[in-house]
């Protein structure tokens, strides 16, 4: 999984350390929702059953594969 330095920095935060790479990779492969931001980055969401059915938001760069950010999105609505 390709990542940015920003992702690696954010990954050290206590609430982000719990997010497993396999969850991020699953969202990349099979997002439940996808939205392109104005800056070209792409937001992907996916439900993570192992995390109590929380929705994980993964933001990737324009190349469609480099992970820039990942966090549980408390405001996500189906």
């Amino acid at each position: 999984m390709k990542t940015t330095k920003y992702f690696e920095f954010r990954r050290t935060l206590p609430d982000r350390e719990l997010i497993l790479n396999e969850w991020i990779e699953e969202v990349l492969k099979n997002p439940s929702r996808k939205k392109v931001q104005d800056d070209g980055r792409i937001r992907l969401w996916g439900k993570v059953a192992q995390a109590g059915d929380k929705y994980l938001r993964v933001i990737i760069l324009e190349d469609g594969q480099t992970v820039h950010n990942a966090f549980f999105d408390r405001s996500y609505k189906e």
Side-chain angles (χ1 to χ4, degrees):
M1 179 172 75
K2 289 176 58 178
T3 62
T4 62
K5 290 192 180 294
Y6 178 79
F7 173 81
E8 296 302 327
F9 168 73
R10 299 295 291 181
R11 193 80 189 263
T12 62
L13 298 174
D15 65 325
R16 311 285 172 95
E17 289 178 330
L18 304 173
I19 298 172
L20 302 180
N21 283 349
E22 65 189 56
W23 297 346
I24 295 170
E25 291 168 357
E26 180 59 31
V27 172
L28 291 173
K29 289 180 199 169
N30 191 23
S32 57
R33 184 174 170 199
K34 180 178 179 179
K35 181 178 180 184
V36 178
Q37 300 180 167
D38 291 339
D39 62 4
R41 292 178 182 161
I42 304 163
R43 294 179 187 176
L44 306 169
W45 288 268
K47 186 187 283 187
V48 180
Q50 299 92 338
D53 286 339
K54 293 179 182 176
Y55 276 89
L56 183 64
R57 184 195 301 187
V58 178
I59 300 173
I60 56 176
L61 299 183
E62 303 86 349
D63 66 6
Q65 57 183 330
T66 305
V67 177
H68 182 65
N69 203 354
F71 56 91
F72 287 109
D73 189 345
R74 295 182 187 137
S75 64
Y76 181 81
K77 305 225 186 291
E78 290 186 74

